[in-house]
Amino acid sequence: AALARHAAPSLPTARAEAPPPRSPPPTQHPHALTCPLASGGCAMSFRKELSVSTQAPVGKKDLKKLRQTAADTFPALTAREVDALVPLGGEWSALKLKGSGTVLYQQTGKPPSLFDLEGRGDLWPTVYACWVWPHILPCLETHGPVTRHLVKGADLMLPGVIVPDGGLPPLPAGAKACVRAAGNALPLAVGALATSAADAAAGGMKGKGLVVVHVYRDALWSFGGRVVPNAGFGAEEVLACDDAAVDAATAALAGVAVSGAGADAAGAGGNDDDDDDDEEEEDDGAAVASGDAGSGAAAAAADPEAAAVSFLTSLSMDELLAETLKNAAASTLTDDKLPMDAADVYQKHMQLAKPPGVPLDAKRSSYKQVAKFFKAQHKAKLINTKEHKGEIKVLGLDRSAPFFKDHTPSWP
């Protein structure tokens, strides 16, 4: 399986803590959608490249509320699975997207696992969460060739749904569900039923079945690290795959340790009321994030990723910021992509210029803010920037400077 090597962590810009999502009303079906379906107003929401307008840290108290909301919204998950989905260890951020009310919930150094489509407290799982917990939502099955249309942004029509022997799950219109290809256990999309299962069957399985909100290969998938979870997931469609279980690399990127450590990862939440347990959670999270960094010189020599992790984790955060900027300049950050917002350079290029097991967080550097890092590089005449209304735009890089010219990329 082809794997993108990076999650898209955070861009610290806001100081206020993010408000927790509101729990669904008690009378609402646990998977019910709050936005209108008949008008198609919730059809795939992540067609265009994502841009973060504001980001706020999620405090421990609000994180516990987020966990409870997740438990209420996804009743198929066990308590331990909910704890693993929303662990209290590590730093969490709420990222509000430009041009919409959508809020992404993301643990630093990992892909977003949850999103609130309209900022009204209605949680959805990303495909990354679905790949670790395929049972998080009721699932519809479709034929492999149909997935080509879903990947392109189409909704799922009822004639393309494979009806199991026992019939469709007894869900109401508007209920959340995911979609998987026949023969592949991992979902490729999440959405909301356009009609109830009973009405679909009574109508002869004609018309629209599911309004797709988020799908593999959309902008949210790309923002999270462009992971391909198994060999069935192709560039244009999703087909059957014998090895349909999520692999260790994908699970690690999603923030869950497998390889015999599943129980420990699932129990990462610990005791909500015990501060000592919270500290242990953070230690456990650090252990997952560090990956193979301590695996030894022999393993590093045999595995380029292990070697890169070993080197990059030895750097200070200031050094790591500089290293990832140089790595990005040598790979994805080409001149034809400039000018670009500094926030996007950091989020979409520097964060992708390192292995997923290496956390990059400007807040932990001497700069404290991404903007100050770019201002320092401008002052050093390594890059050219322009500031307008508090936002910094990178206009160009001085590729003739030894900083860039003499650099040998450490990743990829």
Side-chain angles (χ1 to χ4, degrees):
L3 289 177
R5 298 181 174 90
H6 305 75
S10 309
L11 171 61
T13 56
R15 296 181 180 178
E17 288 199 352
R22 291 169 291 184
S23 299
T27 57
Q28 188 179 30
H29 188 279
H31 298 305
L33 185 68
T34 57
C35 58
L37 289 173
S39 64
C42 285
M44 197 174 88
S45 301
F46 304 105
R47 297 180 186 273
K48 297 181 179 179
E49 186 176 16
L50 305 189
S51 184
V52 176
S53 60
T54 60
Q55 177 176 324
V58 181
K60 186 63 66 71
K61 181 179 179 181
D62 289 340
L63 194 57
K64 291 177 181 179
K65 292 180 181 178
L66 177 66
R67 177 189 282 184
Q68 184 58 54
T69 301
D72 295 339
T73 306
F74 311 119
L77 296 182
T78 66
R80 292 177 66 82
E81 288 171 335
V82 172
D83 289 351
L85 173 64
V86 188
L88 297 184
E91 297 180 358
W92 281 76
S93 296
L95 289 71
K96 186 174 182 180
L97 302 183
K98 288 182 180 178
S100 73
T102 301
V103 178
L104 309 181
Y105 289 97
Q106 179 180 35
Q107 191 175 11
T108 299
K110 300 171 186 175
S113 54
L114 300 167
F115 63 94
D116 181 348
L117 191 60
E118 296 185 322
R120 297 179 179 179
D122 187 35
L123 289 183
W124 291 79
T126 65
V127 289
Y128 294 102
C130 290
W131 292 339
V132 180
W133 301 281
H135 57 288
I136 191 170
L137 292 175
C139 207
L140 303 178
E141 191 170 80
T142 189
H143 304 281
V146 174
T147 65
R148 180 181 293 263
H149 302 290
L150 301 182
V151 168
K152 289 181 179 179
D155 293 327
L156 178 63
M157 306 304 289
L158 285 171
V161 176
I162 299 174
V163 181
D165 292 339
L168 295 173
L171 297 170
K176 295 183 178 76
C178 59
V179 183
R180 64 172 175 253
N184 198 318
L186 301 185
L188 73 136
V190 296
L193 293 181
T195 183
S196 69
D199 289 344
M205 296 299 290
K206 296 179 181 179
K208 185 176 292 187
L210 185 93
V211 177
V212 174
V213 172
H214 164 44
V215 65
Y216 163 69
R217 300 199 73 84
D218 69 4
L220 178 53
W221 166 82
S222 181
F223 185 87
R226 304 176 65 85
V227 170
V228 178
N230 64 41
F233 281 69
E236 298 181 348
E237 61 185 352
V238 178
L239 302 175
C241 178
D242 292 336
D243 183 20
V246 65
D247 60 37
T250 300
L253 185 57
V256 177
V258 289
S259 303
D264 292 338
N271 184 340
D272 290 357
D273 299 320
D274 191 322
D275 292 337
D276 292 338
D277 285 350
D278 290 345
E279 292 177 4
E280 290 177 4
E281 290 163 2
E282 295 175 5
D283 291 341
D284 290 344
V288 172
S290 66
D292 295 331
S295 59
D303 183 353
E305 180 169 343
V309 169
S310 178
F311 167 67
L312 293 173
T313 53
S314 71
L315 302 179
S316 68
M317 192 56 68
D318 285 15
E319 293 170 332
L320 184 58
L321 285 167
E323 183 72 12
T324 54
L325 176 60
K326 290 185 284 187
N327 284 348
S331 56
T332 61
L333 189 58
T334 54
D335 290 336
D336 62 326
K337 294 181 180 177
L338 300 175
M340 180 185 295
D341 288 345
D344 289 336
V345 173
Y346 175 81
Q347 188 82 14
K348 299 173 183 177
H349 294 276
M350 292 171 60
Q351 291 288 0
L352 301 183
K354 61 175 185 58
V358 179
L360 178 67
D361 188 352
K363 290 187 298 183
R364 298 181 180 180
S365 71
S366 65
Y367 303 102
K368 301 300 182 185
Q369 297 177 358
V370 171
K372 290 184 178 180
F373 167 74
F374 282 100
K375 287 180 180 180
Q377 308 320 302
H378 174 81
K379 187 175 181 180
K381 298 184 178 180
L382 299 174
I383 65 175
N384 185 22
T385 64
K386 182 179 180 180
E387 186 171 359
H388 178 66
K389 294 183 178 180
E391 293 191 1
I392 296 177
K393 190 176 289 291
V394 177
L395 305 179
L397 311 178
D398 183 4
R399 297 183 183 273
S400 64
F403 179 84
F404 292 114
K405 184 177 65 174
D406 299 342
H407 177 63
T408 300
S410 55
W411 183 262

